[in-house]
Amino acid sequence: MSEQSAICEKTRAEELRVAALDAARSAASLLRATFRTSVDAEIKTNAHDLVTEIDRRSQQIITESLLAAVPGSWVLGEENISTQSGNAAPGSVQWIVDPIDGTSNFVHGIAFFCISIAAAIDGQLAAAVIIDPIAGDEFTANAESALLNGAVLNPARRPEQARANLMTDYPGAESLLHDGDLALQLFGQWIQDFATVRRKVSAALALAHVAAGWCDATIGFDTKVWDVAAGAHLVRMAHGTFRGLAYGQEGLADHECPGFIAQGPGADYRSLNLAAQKIHELRTGKDA
């Protein structure tokens, strides 16, 4: 890549970061205004997977803002709305949006949820925004760095496994059905291996906490692209690692995989790697 091309890429990524931040801020005010009010929740796929009218309104606000800011871009969002449109034309900007990651927490009045927006071009992540509307934290990333409320994130090297803290949504109800006793065995092993294990039920916000250095690692085995795309870019721009777990599927970018391991700078926790290997073997019937 020429120097001029690199400068253009960085400039473009910063423009996308700003557009995503403006969109997320517009929706954040809605979430703050409706949090801990009477919000009716609907069952999406099962009683553990909820959606509200606020999810849809947030998606609408974000989508309209993004498409206005970047004409010709298109939106892949968790909630389907009438204005969502576009196609994967080469070079076009793809927005990957979760209007409320952690809807169950939002519905139950637990202040751990976020808005997550990533920008990708030809399958490569270029910018990211995650806003925690209640704490007021704005995590963003362009092609050069990750930031928290405008300040560059540069977390220290993470501690050894026995002193580290882990966030995970695993195992959930569906995972228990798929993985059986192994799911509980893995969770029990993590409780023994790590200093603390927290189930916060928002993969995007957990990834943001890894990027900030508030959490040392997070892992998931049943995630969607909108759960992790923004967080994956944040972690990498904060000098951590994000590895997708594809379970044998070919051609997926890391953020498109159904599972992941994310770790802060310098961390490579054996317990997480072994868990990923066992899940791979169980779900594919093959050695990792």
Side-chain angles (χ1 to χ4, degrees):
M1 181 185 294
S2 69
E3 182 177 352
Q4 186 62 39
S5 296
I7 292 172
C8 290
E9 183 179 282
K10 290 176 182 178
T11 300
R12 183 59 165 158
E14 176 60 13
E15 292 171 347
L16 297 175
R17 184 190 74 88
V18 172
L21 181 56
D22 287 343
R25 283 173 170 169
S26 296
S29 60
L30 169 67
L31 270 56
R32 282 192 294 270
T34 53
F35 182 53
R36 292 178 178 162
T37 62
S38 298
V39 176
D40 292 330
E42 304 167 21
I43 292 175
K44 188 185 291 187
T45 59
N46 57 56
H48 308 281
D49 185 13
L50 304 178
V51 65
T52 72
E53 182 58 29
I54 307 304
D55 292 79
R56 299 187 184 99
R57 287 169 59 189
S58 178
Q59 180 83 57
Q60 185 86 32
I61 291 167
I62 292 166
T63 297
E64 291 177 354
S65 178
L66 294 174
L67 296 184
V70 185
S73 62
W74 65 289
V75 176
L76 173 64
E78 181 173 12
E79 309 308 330
N80 292 317
I81 58 173
S82 60
T83 58
Q84 191 165 309
S85 62
N87 56 67
S92 66
V93 174
Q94 177 196 38
W95 299 106
I96 305 168
V97 176
D98 196 332
I100 307 179
D101 187 66
T103 297
S104 179
N105 287 341
F106 176 79
V107 169
H108 291 98
I110 298 169
F112 198 87
F113 57 89
C114 66
I115 295 164
S116 176
I117 304 174
I121 302 174
D122 296 331
Q124 299 295 314
L125 296 172
V129 169
I130 291 176
I131 287 185
D132 179 339
I134 306 305
D137 290 324
E138 297 180 340
F139 305 87
T140 68
N142 51 28
E144 298 181 278
S145 57
L147 304 99
L148 171 59
N149 300 328
V152 173
L153 285 169
N154 189 26
R157 185 179 179 87
R158 298 296 88 198
E160 74 248 16
Q161 183 172 282
R163 294 175 53 238
N165 70 85
L166 172 69
M167 277 192 197
T168 183
D169 299 343
Y170 185 88
E174 292 182 8
S175 302
L176 288 170
L177 289 175
H178 293 157
D179 302 335
D181 291 343
L182 177 60
L184 294 178
Q185 291 171 12
L186 293 177
F187 191 76
Q189 191 65 53
W190 293 335
I191 290 173
Q192 290 182 314
D193 291 344
F194 289 90
T196 58
V197 179
R198 297 179 174 89
R199 293 190 74 255
K200 301 303 286 276
V201 201
S202 172
L205 197 48
L207 286 161
H209 281 222
V210 172
W214 304 338
C215 174
D216 301 310
T218 181
I219 187 169
F221 294 120
D222 300 283
T223 52
K224 305 294 185 183
V225 62
W226 44 75
D227 297 325
V228 302
H233 192 56
L234 278 167
V235 168
R236 286 174 171 166
M237 291 299 100
H239 314 297
T241 60
F242 181 94
R243 174 164 67 96
L245 306 174
Y247 313 138
Q249 299 179 59
E250 299 291 335
L252 295 177
D254 280 333
H255 65 279
E256 297 171 329
C257 292
F260 73 93
I261 297 174
Q263 301 175 96
D268 187 16
Y269 298 132
R270 183 173 181 271
S271 188
L272 302 184
N273 294 323
L274 288 175
Q277 179 179 342
K278 289 179 179 180
I279 291 293
H280 176 92
E281 292 170 354
L282 177 69
R283 296 190 181 185
T284 67
K286 301 175 182 178
D287 292 340

